[in-house]
Structures are given as structure tokens and as C-alpha cells.
Amino acid sequence: MNFNKKVSAFLYFRNLQMNIAFDAKRAFTNGTGLGHYSRTLIRSLATFFPGENYFPCTPLITERFDISAFQNMHIISPTTFTTRNFRKLWRSSLVKTDLLKNNIDIYHGLSHEIPKGIDTTNIKSIVTIHDLIFERFPNQYNIIDRKIYRYKFQYACKHANKIIAISEQTKNDLVEFYEVPETKITVCYQSCDERFFKSVSDQEKERVKKLYGLPDRFFLYTGSLIERKNLLVICKALEIVKKKIQIPLVVIGDGGVYKQQVKNFLREKNMESLVLFLSELEATAHLPGYTMATDFPAIYQQAVCMIYPSIFEGFGIPVLEALCSKIPVITSNISSLPEAGGDGALYISPNDFTALANYMEQIISDSDLRNSLIAKGWTHAQNFTREKCATAVMNAYKKL
């Protein structure tokens, strides 16, 4: 090959390299589902597709999302006097200037939003829609929040070149509520932090057990303490189970009004000692291992099972985390939760605390059932590895 052909070939392949930017606000600031999704996906793409360049865009840089190990990742944040003083405006619109300066090819809104006017640039955009729960359960949201969410979601659905739904349930909701053409939607399941896929050492389990004061055996719930997540139903089932065997419930998550309702129930039933709210432990609640969730795999892997009777989910990441941790799962038989749990979970109607109590007792007493669920759950979890989920998203990028 002569010199000119070599140069042409180099330029051709160099031009195939993509510059991909993300709305990474929640990757840097959010400790719950949207934050975990953002961090896991960005890291997975940078790991399994190292030939591309990745640009997390965030109005605020924190220690929650460490990208120092990735040479192909470059943070974009406000740099001018105006953008530093109007960070919300920068994220929602002015970021376009920075995207153009960095020759961004694709912008991915990881949580329902894209910058206003991005469709007037040459930058392709894609948005992840996690759920439309505020449309299904409007009474659980105040009217101002509903209007803001509806505007942002509908704008993104209309102006993005492609939509990623994190489950078939969310895809169906987009079609039903917003009449989005099915051809515009691609279902790309999410993964979870790679730590959940790995066995935690006995020494690490013991350290975490002592740190959080965990019981020898316990049921586990993870998630926000809001009405839709249904923690009160677990407590009602626990009241039945405790008549035969007293195994406490460990709760990872926090809340406000609904949490107080749960605590009132526990006090009335004299069950306060049976539920451990980790967020209330002064010695641990602000530790990096809790706020950054790095201690969670060691907690999961010591649990009898995960209980997650949510009324509705876009996906249900705690279910997947539990399957990867090789513990049984009891969850709801509606929305996306059967997609997340597959045949590795037991299913109930979300408000049927009697059925929940029966399953809790079976998992305690029936080792064959427990082992079968663990095996099936681990097999199902392989459908959601970081590589598979990153590949699905990368394929969506390449079709833009």
C-alpha cells in the first residue's frame, strides 16, 4: 500500500471513532436508581468499547463518579461565568455550545431529558426513558412536578432521534400514553454494578456485618420508602411470619411521610425491633460504603432473600442485584418485574401480604426451593451482564 492509501485508510478508520456525550448529572449526584444506571452504563461502554471517546456532561463534579481509570472519558462541565452561575440552564440548553466545541457526534440523555434545541444542531440525540409512573399514578405526584415531567418527557420523545426504553413495559407505556411510534423505541435492558456479580469474601461479609450491626439471618428490602414501593406490605407479612420464626427485615433506603406511616405500624404492632433502617444508624449512614453503595453486595449476600413487592416499576434494579448476589427474590407479578426476575423469582399480587408471608416461610424452611431459585436467578441474570447491556446501547447508537 502506497503512502497516500495508508493515509486515506487511517483517516477513514479514525473517522469511525465516535464522540459520545451523556447527561451525567445523576451519575455524579444521585445515589439511587437513575444514578446507578448512569454510572454503570457509562463505565460499561468505556470498558467494552474503548475505541470511542466518552464525555460525561455534569453541572457539578463530585467524588460519587470516579472516571480516573478511563483514558477515553473526558468530563464536560460549566466553565464560563454565565454557565457556572446558571447550571440548570447550562444542562437544559447551553451545554450545546460545549458539545459543538468537542465535536460530539451523539448526545445521550440518560434520564428522560435532552437539551432544548439539540435537534437544530448536527448532533444526533438519544434518550433513555425509564418509566412513566407519574402518568400511571398521578395522585402520588404533585401537580407541578407532573407538568414539569410531562413537558420534559414529551419534548425528549418528540425531538430525540431515538428512544431507549429500559423494559418492554416502558416501551408499551410510551406507545400508550404518548403515542410514540414503536419503530422509534429500542428496548435496552440495564445492568447493575459489577460488584454484585462477584462473590464477597467471608472476611468482607464479617466486616460489613459488624459495621452495620446486621442480624445472623434477615430479609432484605432496598429502595426509596414511598407508597408505590410497598414496604408496609412487607411489614404486614412479617407480622404473620414472626408467629413462627422471628427473622428481622433490613431496609436500605429512606423516605418521609410514607416511612413514618410504616414506623407507626411497627410501633402499634410492637415490631420496631424487627425492622432495621440502615439509614438511621448514625455510625454508618454517612460512610462512603453506604452512600456509594460499595458495601451493598456484602449486605445482599448475607440476606435470606430480597423482598420487593412494588406496585409498579420501569425495571426494578434491586431484583437484578439480588439475582446477581445469588439470593432468592419475592417480587410483584405486574409491570416490568417479571422481566427483571424471570423464573428466578417468586411472584405475588403486590398487596397480597398473606401470599408474601407464605413465600417468606417457604424460603426459610425449604432448602430445595431456595437453591432452585438461586440457580435459576443466576442463569437469568446472565441476560443482563454489563457487556450485553452496553452492546445493546452501542448498537442503538450505530443505527442513528
mmCIF file with all atom_site columns, all heavy atoms in Angstrom, residues 263-285:
data_model
loop_
_atom_site.group_PDB
_atom_site.id
_atom_site.type_symbol
_atom_site.label_atom_id
_atom_site.label_alt_id
_atom_site.label_comp_id
_atom_site.label_asym_id
_atom_site.label_entity_id
_atom_site.label_seq_id
_atom_site.pdbx_PDB_ins_code
_atom_site.Cartn_x
_atom_site.Cartn_y
_atom_site.Cartn_z
_atom_site.occupancy
_atom_site.B_iso_or_equiv
_atom_site.pdbx_formal_charge
_atom_site.auth_seq_id
_atom_site.auth_comp_id
_atom_site.auth_asym_id
_atom_site.auth_atom_id
_atom_site.pdbx_PDB_model_num
ATOM 1   N N   . LYS A 1 263 ? -43.389 3.231  60.189 1.00 0.00 ? 263 LYS A N   1
ATOM 2   C CA  . LYS A 1 263 ? -42.900 3.200  61.563 1.00 0.00 ? 263 LYS A CA  1
ATOM 3   C C   . LYS A 1 263 ? -44.053 3.238  62.569 1.00 0.00 ? 263 LYS A C   1
ATOM 4   O O   . LYS A 1 263 ? -43.964 2.619  63.641 1.00 0.00 ? 263 LYS A O   1
ATOM 5   C CB  . LYS A 1 263 ? -41.923 4.350  61.797 1.00 0.00 ? 263 LYS A CB  1
ATOM 6   C CG  . LYS A 1 263 ? -40.667 4.271  60.930 1.00 0.00 ? 263 LYS A CG  1
ATOM 7   C CD  . LYS A 1 263 ? -39.609 5.259  61.344 1.00 0.00 ? 263 LYS A CD  1
ATOM 8   C CE  . LYS A 1 263 ? -38.906 4.788  62.602 1.00 0.00 ? 263 LYS A CE  1
ATOM 9   N NZ  . LYS A 1 263 ? -37.722 5.623  62.920 1.00 0.00 ? 263 LYS A NZ  1
ATOM 10  N N   . ASN A 1 264 ? -45.109 3.943  62.224 1.00 0.00 ? 264 ASN A N   1
ATOM 11  C CA  . ASN A 1 264 ? -46.290 3.958  63.095 1.00 0.00 ? 264 ASN A CA  1
ATOM 12  C C   . ASN A 1 264 ? -46.889 2.564  63.204 1.00 0.00 ? 264 ASN A C   1
ATOM 13  O O   . ASN A 1 264 ? -47.294 2.122  64.293 1.00 0.00 ? 264 ASN A O   1
ATOM 14  C CB  . ASN A 1 264 ? -47.335 4.938  62.555 1.00 0.00 ? 264 ASN A CB  1
ATOM 15  C CG  . ASN A 1 264 ? -46.911 6.386  62.695 1.00 0.00 ? 264 ASN A CG  1
ATOM 16  O OD1 . ASN A 1 264 ? -45.997 6.714  63.454 1.00 0.00 ? 264 ASN A OD1 1
ATOM 17  N ND2 . ASN A 1 264 ? -47.564 7.265  61.947 1.00 0.00 ? 264 ASN A ND2 1
ATOM 18  N N   . PHE A 1 265 ? -46.960 1.864  62.083 1.00 0.00 ? 265 PHE A N   1
ATOM 19  C CA  . PHE A 1 265 ? -47.475 0.484  62.074 1.00 0.00 ? 265 PHE A CA  1
ATOM 20  C C   . PHE A 1 265 ? -46.593 -0.417 62.944 1.00 0.00 ? 265 PHE A C   1
ATOM 21  O O   . PHE A 1 265 ? -47.109 -1.218 63.757 1.00 0.00 ? 265 PHE A O   1
ATOM 22  C CB  . PHE A 1 265 ? -47.525 -0.047 60.652 1.00 0.00 ? 265 PHE A CB  1
ATOM 23  C CG  . PHE A 1 265 ? -47.889 -1.507 60.550 1.00 0.00 ? 265 PHE A CG  1
ATOM 24  C CD1 . PHE A 1 265 ? -49.215 -1.908 60.541 1.00 0.00 ? 265 PHE A CD1 1
ATOM 25  C CD2 . PHE A 1 265 ? -46.896 -2.483 60.473 1.00 0.00 ? 265 PHE A CD2 1
ATOM 26  C CE1 . PHE A 1 265 ? -49.545 -3.260 60.456 1.00 0.00 ? 265 PHE A CE1 1
ATOM 27  C CE2 . PHE A 1 265 ? -47.219 -3.831 60.390 1.00 0.00 ? 265 PHE A CE2 1
ATOM 28  C CZ  . PHE A 1 265 ? -48.554 -4.220 60.385 1.00 0.00 ? 265 PHE A CZ  1
ATOM 29  N N   . LEU A 1 266 ? -45.302 -0.297 62.800 1.00 0.00 ? 266 LEU A N   1
ATOM 30  C CA  . LEU A 1 266 ? -44.384 -1.131 63.574 1.00 0.00 ? 266 LEU A CA  1
ATOM 31  C C   . LEU A 1 266 ? -44.535 -0.871 65.073 1.00 0.00 ? 266 LEU A C   1
ATOM 32  O O   . LEU A 1 266 ? -44.495 -1.802 65.891 1.00 0.00 ? 266 LEU A O   1
ATOM 33  C CB  . LEU A 1 266 ? -42.941 -0.867 63.131 1.00 0.00 ? 266 LEU A CB  1
ATOM 34  C CG  . LEU A 1 266 ? -42.584 -1.269 61.691 1.00 0.00 ? 266 LEU A CG  1
ATOM 35  C CD1 . LEU A 1 266 ? -41.171 -0.811 61.344 1.00 0.00 ? 266 LEU A CD1 1
ATOM 36  C CD2 . LEU A 1 266 ? -42.721 -2.774 61.504 1.00 0.00 ? 266 LEU A CD2 1
ATOM 37  N N   . ARG A 1 267 ? -44.723 0.391  65.421 1.00 0.00 ? 267 ARG A N   1
ATOM 38  C CA  . ARG A 1 267 ? -44.889 0.728  66.833 1.00 0.00 ? 267 ARG A CA  1
ATOM 39  C C   . ARG A 1 267 ? -46.202 0.162  67.379 1.00 0.00 ? 267 ARG A C   1
ATOM 40  O O   . ARG A 1 267 ? -46.248 -0.402 68.487 1.00 0.00 ? 267 ARG A O   1
ATOM 41  C CB  . ARG A 1 267 ? -44.840 2.241  67.013 1.00 0.00 ? 267 ARG A CB  1
ATOM 42  C CG  . ARG A 1 267 ? -44.915 2.696  68.473 1.00 0.00 ? 267 ARG A CG  1
ATOM 43  C CD  . ARG A 1 267 ? -44.625 4.167  68.630 1.00 0.00 ? 267 ARG A CD  1
ATOM 44  N NE  . ARG A 1 267 ? -45.550 4.995  67.855 1.00 0.00 ? 267 ARG A NE  1
ATOM 45  C CZ  . ARG A 1 267 ? -45.215 5.629  66.731 1.00 0.00 ? 267 ARG A CZ  1
ATOM 46  N NH1 . ARG A 1 267 ? -43.988 5.529  66.259 1.00 0.00 ? 267 ARG A NH1 1
ATOM 47  N NH2 . ARG A 1 267 ? -46.120 6.357  66.095 1.00 0.00 ? 267 ARG A NH2 1
ATOM 48  N N   . GLU A 1 268 ? -47.272 0.286  66.603 1.00 0.00 ? 268 GLU A N   1
ATOM 49  C CA  . GLU A 1 268 ? -48.572 -0.233 67.027 1.00 0.00 ? 268 GLU A CA  1
ATOM 50  C C   . GLU A 1 268 ? -48.542 -1.748 67.221 1.00 0.00 ? 268 GLU A C   1
ATOM 51  O O   . GLU A 1 268 ? -49.223 -2.285 68.110 1.00 0.00 ? 268 GLU A O   1
ATOM 52  C CB  . GLU A 1 268 ? -49.635 0.136  65.995 1.00 0.00 ? 268 GLU A CB  1
ATOM 53  C CG  . GLU A 1 268 ? -49.949 1.622  65.925 1.00 0.00 ? 268 GLU A CG  1
ATOM 54  C CD  . GLU A 1 268 ? -50.792 1.973  64.708 1.00 0.00 ? 268 GLU A CD  1
ATOM 55  O OE1 . GLU A 1 268 ? -51.195 1.027  63.981 1.00 0.00 ? 268 GLU A OE1 1
ATOM 56  O OE2 . GLU A 1 268 ? -51.044 3.175  64.478 1.00 0.00 ? 268 GLU A OE2 1
ATOM 57  N N   . LYS A 1 269 ? -47.773 -2.442 66.394 1.00 0.00 ? 269 LYS A N   1
ATOM 58  C CA  . LYS A 1 269 ? -47.702 -3.908 66.448 1.00 0.00 ? 269 LYS A CA  1
ATOM 59  C C   . LYS A 1 269 ? -46.551 -4.406 67.310 1.00 0.00 ? 269 LYS A C   1
ATOM 60  O O   . LYS A 1 269 ? -46.296 -5.618 67.364 1.00 0.00 ? 269 LYS A O   1
ATOM 61  C CB  . LYS A 1 269 ? -47.552 -4.471 65.036 1.00 0.00 ? 269 LYS A CB  1
ATOM 62  C CG  . LYS A 1 269 ? -48.693 -4.092 64.086 1.00 0.00 ? 269 LYS A CG  1
ATOM 63  C CD  . LYS A 1 269 ? -50.024 -4.659 64.547 1.00 0.00 ? 269 LYS A CD  1
ATOM 64  C CE  . LYS A 1 269 ? -51.132 -4.314 63.568 1.00 0.00 ? 269 LYS A CE  1
ATOM 65  N NZ  . LYS A 1 269 ? -52.448 -4.880 63.996 1.00 0.00 ? 269 LYS A NZ  1
ATOM 66  N N   . ASN A 1 270 ? -45.857 -3.478 67.976 1.00 0.00 ? 270 ASN A N   1
ATOM 67  C CA  . ASN A 1 270 ? -44.725 -3.844 68.818 1.00 0.00 ? 270 ASN A CA  1
ATOM 68  C C   . ASN A 1 270 ? -43.675 -4.625 68.020 1.00 0.00 ? 270 ASN A C   1
ATOM 69  O O   . ASN A 1 270 ? -43.134 -5.639 68.478 1.00 0.00 ? 270 ASN A O   1
ATOM 70  C CB  . ASN A 1 270 ? -45.192 -4.663 70.033 1.00 0.00 ? 270 ASN A CB  1
ATOM 71  C CG  . ASN A 1 270 ? -44.137 -4.740 71.126 1.00 0.00 ? 270 ASN A CG  1
ATOM 72  O OD1 . ASN A 1 270 ? -43.306 -3.838 71.261 1.00 0.00 ? 270 ASN A OD1 1
ATOM 73  N ND2 . ASN A 1 270 ? -44.159 -5.826 71.890 1.00 0.00 ? 270 ASN A ND2 1
ATOM 74  N N   . MET A 1 271 ? -43.381 -4.138 66.821 1.00 0.00 ? 271 MET A N   1
ATOM 75  C CA  . MET A 1 271 ? -42.449 -4.812 65.927 1.00 0.00 ? 271 MET A CA  1
ATOM 76  C C   . MET A 1 271 ? -41.225 -3.954 65.584 1.00 0.00 ? 271 MET A C   1
ATOM 77  O O   . MET A 1 271 ? -40.475 -4.270 64.662 1.00 0.00 ? 271 MET A O   1
ATOM 78  C CB  . MET A 1 271 ? -43.168 -5.188 64.615 1.00 0.00 ? 271 MET A CB  1
ATOM 79  C CG  . MET A 1 271 ? -44.226 -6.254 64.751 1.00 0.00 ? 271 MET A CG  1
ATOM 80  S SD  . MET A 1 271 ? -45.191 -6.447 63.218 1.00 0.00 ? 271 MET A SD  1
ATOM 81  C CE  . MET A 1 271 ? -43.909 -6.741 62.006 1.00 0.00 ? 271 MET A CE  1
ATOM 82  N N   . GLU A 1 272 ? -41.019 -2.896 66.321 1.00 0.00 ? 272 GLU A N   1
ATOM 83  C CA  . GLU A 1 272 ? -39.926 -1.974 65.971 1.00 0.00 ? 272 GLU A CA  1
ATOM 84  C C   . GLU A 1 272 ? -38.566 -2.663 65.960 1.00 0.00 ? 272 GLU A C   1
ATOM 85  O O   . GLU A 1 272 ? -37.694 -2.319 65.148 1.00 0.00 ? 272 GLU A O   1
ATOM 86  C CB  . GLU A 1 272 ? -39.915 -0.795 66.945 1.00 0.00 ? 272 GLU A CB  1
ATOM 87  C CG  . GLU A 1 272 ? -41.114 0.123  66.782 1.00 0.00 ? 272 GLU A CG  1
ATOM 88  C CD  . GLU A 1 272 ? -41.199 1.178  67.872 1.00 0.00 ? 272 GLU A CD  1
ATOM 89  O OE1 . GLU A 1 272 ? -41.501 0.812  69.020 1.00 0.00 ? 272 GLU A OE1 1
ATOM 90  O OE2 . GLU A 1 272 ? -40.947 2.359  67.563 1.00 0.00 ? 272 GLU A OE2 1
ATOM 91  N N   . SER A 1 273 ? -38.387 -3.650 66.816 1.00 0.00 ? 273 SER A N   1
ATOM 92  C CA  . SER A 1 273 ? -37.091 -4.341 66.873 1.00 0.00 ? 273 SER A CA  1
ATOM 93  C C   . SER A 1 273 ? -36.883 -5.297 65.705 1.00 0.00 ? 273 SER A C   1
ATOM 94  O O   . SER A 1 273 ? -35.777 -5.797 65.502 1.00 0.00 ? 273 SER A O   1
ATOM 95  C CB  . SER A 1 273 ? -36.975 -5.125 68.185 1.00 0.00 ? 273 SER A CB  1
ATOM 96  O OG  . SER A 1 273 ? -37.975 -6.136 68.261 1.00 0.00 ? 273 SER A OG  1
ATOM 97  N N   . LEU A 1 274 ? -37.946 -5.528 64.921 1.00 0.00 ? 274 LEU A N   1
ATOM 98  C CA  . LEU A 1 274 ? -37.848 -6.477 63.805 1.00 0.00 ? 274 LEU A CA  1
ATOM 99  C C   . LEU A 1 274 ? -37.472 -5.811 62.486 1.00 0.00 ? 274 LEU A C   1
ATOM 100 O O   . LEU A 1 274 ? -37.299 -6.496 61.481 1.00 0.00 ? 274 LEU A O   1
ATOM 101 C CB  . LEU A 1 274 ? -39.169 -7.230 63.620 1.00 0.00 ? 274 LEU A CB  1
ATOM 102 C CG  . LEU A 1 274 ? -39.391 -8.453 64.515 1.00 0.00 ? 274 LEU A CG  1
ATOM 103 C CD1 . LEU A 1 274 ? -40.754 -9.072 64.238 1.00 0.00 ? 274 LEU A CD1 1
ATOM 104 C CD2 . LEU A 1 274 ? -38.290 -9.480 64.303 1.00 0.00 ? 274 LEU A CD2 1
ATOM 105 N N   . VAL A 1 275 ? -37.368 -4.483 62.469 1.00 0.00 ? 275 VAL A N   1
ATOM 106 C CA  . VAL A 1 275 ? -37.012 -3.790 61.233 1.00 0.00 ? 275 VAL A CA  1
ATOM 107 C C   . VAL A 1 275 ? -35.841 -2.853 61.511 1.00 0.00 ? 275 VAL A C   1
ATOM 108 O O   . VAL A 1 275 ? -35.921 -1.976 62.378 1.00 0.00 ? 275 VAL A O   1
ATOM 109 C CB  . VAL A 1 275 ? -38.207 -2.998 60.664 1.00 0.00 ? 275 VAL A CB  1
ATOM 110 C CG1 . VAL A 1 275 ? -37.792 -2.274 59.382 1.00 0.00 ? 275 VAL A CG1 1
ATOM 111 C CG2 . VAL A 1 275 ? -39.374 -3.933 60.382 1.00 0.00 ? 275 VAL A CG2 1
ATOM 112 N N   . LEU A 1 276 ? -34.754 -3.049 60.761 1.00 0.00 ? 276 LEU A N   1
ATOM 113 C CA  . LEU A 1 276 ? -33.540 -2.250 60.930 1.00 0.00 ? 276 LEU A CA  1
ATOM 114 C C   . LEU A 1 276 ? -33.401 -1.310 59.732 1.00 0.00 ? 276 LEU A C   1
ATOM 115 O O   . LEU A 1 276 ? -33.178 -1.753 58.601 1.00 0.00 ? 276 LEU A O   1
ATOM 116 C CB  . LEU A 1 276 ? -32.314 -3.161 61.027 1.00 0.00 ? 276 LEU A CB  1
ATOM 117 C CG  . LEU A 1 276 ? -30.945 -2.483 61.081 1.00 0.00 ? 276 LEU A CG  1
ATOM 118 C CD1 . LEU A 1 276 ? -30.827 -1.609 62.324 1.00 0.00 ? 276 LEU A CD1 1
ATOM 119 C CD2 . LEU A 1 276 ? -29.828 -3.533 61.040 1.00 0.00 ? 276 LEU A CD2 1
ATOM 120 N N   . PHE A 1 277 ? -33.570 0.002  59.982 1.00 0.00 ? 277 PHE A N   1
ATOM 121 C CA  . PHE A 1 277 ? -33.405 1.010  58.940 1.00 0.00 ? 277 PHE A CA  1
ATOM 122 C C   . PHE A 1 277 ? -31.936 1.455  58.932 1.00 0.00 ? 277 PHE A C   1
ATOM 123 O O   . PHE A 1 277 ? -31.506 2.206  59.810 1.00 0.00 ? 277 PHE A O   1
ATOM 124 C CB  . PHE A 1 277 ? -34.311 2.208  59.198 1.00 0.00 ? 277 PHE A CB  1
ATOM 125 C CG  . PHE A 1 277 ? -35.784 1.915  59.098 1.00 0.00 ? 277 PHE A CG  1
ATOM 126 C CD1 . PHE A 1 277 ? -36.516 1.537  60.223 1.00 0.00 ? 277 PHE A CD1 1
ATOM 127 C CD2 . PHE A 1 277 ? -36.434 2.009  57.874 1.00 0.00 ? 277 PHE A CD2 1
ATOM 128 C CE1 . PHE A 1 277 ? -37.874 1.285  60.125 1.00 0.00 ? 277 PHE A CE1 1
ATOM 129 C CE2 . PHE A 1 277 ? -37.798 1.753  57.770 1.00 0.00 ? 277 PHE A CE2 1
ATOM 130 C CZ  . PHE A 1 277 ? -38.519 1.376  58.893 1.00 0.00 ? 277 PHE A CZ  1
ATOM 131 N N   . LEU A 1 278 ? -31.179 1.022  57.955 1.00 0.00 ? 278 LEU A N   1
ATOM 132 C CA  . LEU A 1 278 ? -29.754 1.330  57.946 1.00 0.00 ? 278 LEU A CA  1
ATOM 133 C C   . LEU A 1 278 ? -29.495 2.824  57.817 1.00 0.00 ? 278 LEU A C   1
ATOM 134 O O   . LEU A 1 278 ? -28.481 3.322  58.302 1.00 0.00 ? 278 LEU A O   1
ATOM 135 C CB  . LEU A 1 278 ? -29.058 0.587  56.802 1.00 0.00 ? 278 LEU A CB  1
ATOM 136 C CG  . LEU A 1 278 ? -29.056 -0.945 56.883 1.00 0.00 ? 278 LEU A CG  1
ATOM 137 C CD1 . LEU A 1 278 ? -28.157 -1.526 55.800 1.00 0.00 ? 278 LEU A CD1 1
ATOM 138 C CD2 . LEU A 1 278 ? -28.600 -1.428 58.268 1.00 0.00 ? 278 LEU A CD2 1
ATOM 139 N N   . SER A 1 279 ? -30.402 3.553  57.179 1.00 0.00 ? 279 SER A N   1
ATOM 140 C CA  . SER A 1 279 ? -30.202 4.991  57.010 1.00 0.00 ? 279 SER A CA  1
ATOM 141 C C   . SER A 1 279 ? -30.261 5.744  58.330 1.00 0.00 ? 279 SER A C   1
ATOM 142 O O   . SER A 1 279 ? -29.826 6.898  58.401 1.00 0.00 ? 279 SER A O   1
ATOM 143 C CB  . SER A 1 279 ? -31.257 5.564  56.053 1.00 0.00 ? 279 SER A CB  1
ATOM 144 O OG  . SER A 1 279 ? -32.558 5.425  56.605 1.00 0.00 ? 279 SER A OG  1
ATOM 145 N N   . GLU A 1 280 ? -30.772 5.097  59.377 1.00 0.00 ? 280 GLU A N   1
ATOM 146 C CA  . GLU A 1 280 ? -30.905 5.760  60.673 1.00 0.00 ? 280 GLU A CA  1
ATOM 147 C C   . GLU A 1 280 ? -29.736 5.485  61.606 1.00 0.00 ? 280 GLU A C   1
ATOM 148 O O   . GLU A 1 280 ? -29.697 6.002  62.717 1.00 0.00 ? 280 GLU A O   1
ATOM 149 C CB  . GLU A 1 280 ? -32.211 5.331  61.343 1.00 0.00 ? 280 GLU A CB  1
ATOM 150 C CG  . GLU A 1 280 ? -33.452 5.788  60.598 1.00 0.00 ? 280 GLU A CG  1
ATOM 151 C CD  . GLU A 1 280 ? -34.728 5.439  61.339 1.00 0.00 ? 280 GLU A CD  1
ATOM 152 O OE1 . GLU A 1 280 ? -34.661 4.672  62.319 1.00 0.00 ? 280 GLU A OE1 1
ATOM 153 O OE2 . GLU A 1 280 ? -35.806 5.937  60.930 1.00 0.00 ? 280 GLU A OE2 1
ATOM 154 N N   . LEU A 1 281 ? -28.802 4.680  61.175 1.00 0.00 ? 281 LEU A N   1
ATOM 155 C CA  . LEU A 1 281 ? -27.654 4.374  62.020 1.00 0.00 ? 281 LEU A CA  1
ATOM 156 C C   . LEU A 1 281 ? -26.640 5.511  61.927 1.00 0.00 ? 281 LEU A C   1
ATOM 157 O O   . LEU A 1 281 ? -26.026 5.719  60.881 1.00 0.00 ? 281 LEU A O   1
ATOM 158 C CB  . LEU A 1 281 ? -27.008 3.052  61.596 1.00 0.00 ? 281 LEU A CB  1
ATOM 159 C CG  . LEU A 1 281 ? -27.912 1.819  61.619 1.00 0.00 ? 281 LEU A CG  1
ATOM 160 C CD1 . LEU A 1 281 ? -27.138 0.594  61.120 1.00 0.00 ? 281 LEU A CD1 1
ATOM 161 C CD2 . LEU A 1 281 ? -28.452 1.564  63.017 1.00 0.00 ? 281 LEU A CD2 1
ATOM 162 N N   . GLU A 1 282 ? -26.456 6.239  63.003 1.00 0.00 ? 282 GLU A N   1
ATOM 163 C CA  . GLU A 1 282 ? -25.558 7.394  62.979 1.00 0.00 ? 282 GLU A CA  1
ATOM 164 C C   . GLU A 1 282 ? -24.133 7.001  62.621 1.00 0.00 ? 282 GLU A C   1
ATOM 165 O O   . GLU A 1 282 ? -23.426 7.748  61.954 1.00 0.00 ? 282 GLU A O   1
ATOM 166 C CB  . GLU A 1 282 ? -25.575 8.088  64.351 1.00 0.00 ? 282 GLU A CB  1
ATOM 167 C CG  . GLU A 1 282 ? -26.876 8.807  64.665 1.00 0.00 ? 282 GLU A CG  1
ATOM 168 C CD  . GLU A 1 282 ? -26.783 9.600  65.951 1.00 0.00 ? 282 GLU A CD  1
ATOM 169 O OE1 . GLU A 1 282 ? -25.645 9.838  66.408 1.00 0.00 ? 282 GLU A OE1 1
ATOM 170 O OE2 . GLU A 1 282 ? -27.828 9.968  66.500 1.00 0.00 ? 282 GLU A OE2 1
ATOM 171 N N   . ALA A 1 283 ? -23.716 5.828  63.048 1.00 0.00 ? 283 ALA A N   1
ATOM 172 C CA  . ALA A 1 283 ? -22.331 5.422  62.833 1.00 0.00 ? 283 ALA A CA  1
ATOM 173 C C   . ALA A 1 283 ? -22.046 5.009  61.395 1.00 0.00 ? 283 ALA A C   1
ATOM 174 O O   . ALA A 1 283 ? -20.896 4.929  60.985 1.00 0.00 ? 283 ALA A O   1
ATOM 175 C CB  . ALA A 1 283 ? -21.980 4.262  63.770 1.00 0.00 ? 283 ALA A CB  1
ATOM 176 N N   . THR A 1 284 ? -23.094 4.737  60.608 1.00 0.00 ? 284 THR A N   1
ATOM 177 C CA  . THR A 1 284 ? -22.854 4.174  59.278 1.00 0.00 ? 284 THR A CA  1
ATOM 178 C C   . THR A 1 284 ? -23.513 4.926  58.130 1.00 0.00 ? 284 THR A C   1
ATOM 179 O O   . THR A 1 284 ? -23.069 4.823  56.988 1.00 0.00 ? 284 THR A O   1
ATOM 180 C CB  . THR A 1 284 ? -23.351 2.712  59.223 1.00 0.00 ? 284 THR A CB  1
ATOM 181 O OG1 . THR A 1 284 ? -24.764 2.701  59.477 1.00 0.00 ? 284 THR A OG1 1
ATOM 182 C CG2 . THR A 1 284 ? -22.649 1.852  60.260 1.00 0.00 ? 284 THR A CG2 1
ATOM 183 N N   . ALA A 1 285 ? -24.560 5.679  58.403 1.00 0.00 ? 285 ALA A N   1
ATOM 184 C CA  . ALA A 1 285 ? -25.371 6.243  57.323 1.00 0.00 ? 285 ALA A CA  1
ATOM 185 C C   . ALA A 1 285 ? -24.582 7.152  56.383 1.00 0.00 ? 285 ALA A C   1
ATOM 186 O O   . ALA A 1 285 ? -24.932 7.285  55.216 1.00 0.00 ? 285 ALA A O   1
ATOM 187 C CB  . ALA A 1 285 ? -26.556 7.004  57.897 1.00 0.00 ? 285 ALA A CB  1
#
